[in-house]
Amino acid sequence: MRTIVITGSASGLGLATRQRLEADGARVIGIDLRGAEIDADLSTREGRAAAIDAVRASSDAIDGLVVCAGLGPHVTPTSMLVAVNYFGAVDVLDGLRDALEAGSEPAAVVIASNSIGLIPDEGTVVDTMLAHDEDAARAIGDRIPGAVLYGLTKQALARAVRQRADAWGHAGVRLNAIAPGPTMTPLLQGSLDDDTLGPLVDALPIPLERRAEPHEMAGIIAFLLGPDASYVHGAIWFADGGTDAVVRPDHF
Ligand code: NAD
């Protein structure tokens, strides 16, 4: 039986992924603020360390990791986006890499967002996150509107995945990201209910003419974790109904 760790397992994409992987026969170790096997606050260094220690106490080796916990652009203070979406993801990734190396055909999947292609990279806060200076990145982040900072945390996360492709590949652990478009979860509902963010979400062109359901992301995550994706590594997989292709037809 494969053992898969999922952060953000209590809701939305993480919950749908848990249900899909359990139906496929996996053992899931969930991490979330509450209601998971491991309750931990990934916005803090202490919470991340406690979560990693608890995974190790539960299992020496893990076969998969899904880094899904995240906050939407409506949260305040906006620096929480930096803390959870970037540092809460990369610290868990790096902290569990050796447990993955001890697993069987191990793979990890990170949840980015199709907003990585919709927001211009303004440089500083992304570079500060990638330099792993959390206090400085949070301070800069508090001066950036959530709608922009959300995409920048996901840009940094997508780049962090690609920057790890060499080392993780040589270590035998596949690492990929998905870039979902609007998917019906409490996080998206928080944006839709916001007077400023709601119209921005509604303005996105979606050639498939609908938003996604969480199980559609879970299916891609299950594929990327499994044997049919055995040569997929360092990829950013867009699953956004075609929005990125329409907005940036000449980029990929
Ligand atoms: P969601 O709100 O349904 O689930 C997010 C989960 O993360 C929740 O269970 C929450 O408790 C957990 N979480 C938040 N802060 C945490 C913390 N400090 N410590 C531990 N757990 C914490 O949201 P979702 O839409 O399923 O989002 C999952 C991921 O998908 C996020 O990273 C989000 O940015 C990304 N995403 C979502 C969409 C979308 O439209 N829903 C689109 C692109 C990307």
Side-chain angles (χ1 to χ4, degrees):
M1 178 184 282
R2 285 172 71 74
T3 297
I4 314 280
V5 174
I6 303 176
T7 74
S9 61
S11 177
L13 274 58
L15 177 60
T17 302
R18 154 175 228 128
Q19 291 165 342
R20 167 63 192 261
L21 295 175
E22 286 180 340
D24 290 349
R27 169 195 177 209
V28 169
I29 303 174
I31 302 172
D32 209 306
L33 287 170
R34 58 194 72 84
E37 283 76 9
I38 299 170
D39 291 348
D41 182 355
L42 298 177
S43 73
T44 69
R45 295 178 180 89
E46 301 73 29
R48 295 166 208 148
I52 291 162
D53 287 348
V55 170
R56 290 180 190 292
S58 166
S59 194
D60 289 335
I62 60 174
D63 309 305
L65 171 62
V66 183
V67 176
C68 198
L71 295 171
H74 53 287
V75 301
T76 55
T78 52
S79 58
M80 283 296 284
L81 295 169
V82 171
V84 177
N85 293 6
Y86 184 78
F87 289 96
V90 294
D91 284 359
V92 170
L93 263 187
D94 292 341
L96 291 177
R97 187 181 118 181
D98 57 353
L100 282 162
E101 285 179 40
S104 167
E105 297 180 23
V109 177
V110 169
I111 315 303
S113 161
N114 75 336
S115 61
I116 61 177
L118 305 174
I119 303 283
D121 174 2
E122 59 65 79
T124 309
V125 75
V126 172
D127 291 340
T128 308
M129 283 185 270
L130 288 166
H132 213 267
D133 188 341
E134 183 168 359
D135 294 337
R138 287 191 64 154
I140 302 167
D142 269 331
R143 301 195 291 271
I144 300 175
V148 175
L149 185 60
Y150 177 83
L152 294 175
T153 63
K154 297 296 188 175
Q155 273 183 11
L157 191 52
R159 285 173 58 182
V161 165
R162 294 179 73 81
Q163 288 180 0
R164 283 161 176 72
D166 190 44
W168 283 57
H170 287 292
V173 186
R174 291 188 302 104
L175 172 62
N176 294 289
I178 67 166
T183 306
M184 292 312 301
T185 69
L187 182 152
L188 179 65
Q189 196 60 51
S191 292
L192 293 172
D193 292 343
D194 184 279
D195 289 343
T196 306
L197 296 167
L200 292 176
V201 175
D202 280 334
L204 285 176
I206 306 178
L208 291 187
E209 298 185 355
R210 64 177 178 86
R211 299 185 181 123
E213 294 297 330
H215 72 86
E216 296 180 280
M217 301 303 153
I220 300 164
I221 293 165
F223 162 73
L224 288 172
L225 289 176
D228 286 343
S230 54
Y231 204 61
V232 183
H233 178 57
I236 312 292
W237 188 298
F238 278 77
D240 69 347
T243 300
D244 188 66
V246 167
V247 174
R248 304 188 308 153
D250 299 318
H251 295 81
F252 54 86

